[in-house]
């Protein structure tokens, strides 16, 4: 499980004296714990690895946006810190589908659902997320689905 890998990596980073990595791993663990608490109160049941992947994807997206903003604002030292955190986060994310795999998945879903127009985009996106949510970049998939249905 990814959660166990994160715990082991935290212990290794602490033993190695790597303060930045330890801080990033603790941040990840805190976000996962927050999400666990949120899950308990909402009553929804999501698989453990799915929950962790969802948290990691959200954190990675936030880091990418922050890096871009810091670079535009001329704050290279803060952008560098965010890049370090992003690298740690990406270690635990599964390999994302490349563009050709994404296009193939979109075509398969379109065929299964009989989707032909842009009106079907919501159904196609929902099915893509259900089938490939953990390994699919949904923002890139959205653009490809729109292109495919147009």
């Amino acid at each position: 499980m990814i959660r166990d890998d994160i715990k082991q990596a935290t212990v290794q980073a602490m033993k190695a004296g790597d303060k930045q990595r330890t801080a990033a791993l603790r941040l990840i663990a805190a976000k996962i714990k927050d999400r666990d608490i949120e899950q308990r109160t909402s009553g929804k049941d999501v698989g453990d690895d799915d929950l962790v992947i969802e948290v990691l994807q959200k954190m990675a997206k936030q880091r990418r946006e922050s890096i871009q903003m810091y670079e535009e604002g001329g704050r290279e030292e803060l952008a560098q810190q965010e890049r370090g955190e992003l690298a740690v986060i990406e270690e635990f994310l599964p390999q994302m589908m490349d563009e050709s795999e994404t296009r193939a998945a979109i075509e398969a879903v379109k065929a299964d659902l009989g989707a032909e127009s842009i009106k079907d985009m919501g159904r196609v996106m929902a099915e893509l997320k259900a089938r490939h949510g953990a390994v699919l970049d949904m923002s890139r998939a959205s653009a490809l689905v729109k292109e495919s249905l147009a």
Side-chain angles (χ1 to χ4, degrees):
M1 286 184 359
I2 298 172
R3 190 182 300 256
D4 296 333
D5 295 342
I6 293 169
K7 286 178 186 175
Q8 286 178 329
T10 304
V11 170
Q12 289 172 345
M14 288 189 313
K15 285 181 180 178
D18 189 345
K19 291 182 181 183
Q20 286 183 323
R21 182 172 171 78
T22 302
L25 289 164
R26 285 181 172 162
L27 183 66
I28 292 169
K31 290 288 185 186
I32 292 169
K33 186 166 246 158
D34 288 346
R35 189 61 195 268
D36 287 342
I37 292 167
E38 187 180 309
Q39 286 296 116
R40 271 188 258 142
T41 58
S42 72
K44 293 180 183 172
D45 188 30
V46 179
D48 190 56
D49 273 356
D50 292 340
L51 181 135
V52 173
I53 290 168
E54 192 176 305
V55 169
L56 291 173
Q57 286 175 333
K58 186 173 182 180
M59 290 179 73
K61 181 180 179 191
Q62 290 169 339
R63 297 305 175 283
R64 288 186 195 101
E65 291 170 355
S66 296
I67 290 167
Q68 183 180 357
M69 287 177 19
Y70 288 142
E71 286 175 343
E72 289 171 1
R75 301 293 307 267
E76 189 55 41
E77 69 283 354
L78 292 174
Q80 193 60 39
Q81 180 182 344
E82 293 289 320
R83 279 190 208 96
E85 288 180 8
L86 180 61
V88 173
I89 292 166
E90 287 178 338
E91 286 178 36
F92 299 100
L93 280 171
Q95 184 66 37
M96 300 304 264
M97 294 172 88
D98 64 19
E99 187 170 340
S100 63
E101 292 172 324
T102 303
R103 287 184 188 277
I106 290 168
E107 292 306 315
V109 169
K110 275 176 50 182
D112 290 349
L113 297 178
E116 296 174 357
S117 71
I118 199 74
K119 291 178 183 178
D120 299 316
M121 185 168 174
R123 287 183 21 224
V124 172
M125 289 300 294
E127 186 63 24
L128 275 173
K129 185 168 182 144
R131 290 185 192 181
H132 309 287
V135 294
L136 186 64
D137 180 354
M138 294 307 287
S139 58
R140 186 176 358 148
S142 176
L144 294 174
V145 168
K146 193 176 287 185
E147 173 188 309
S148 176
L149 292 173

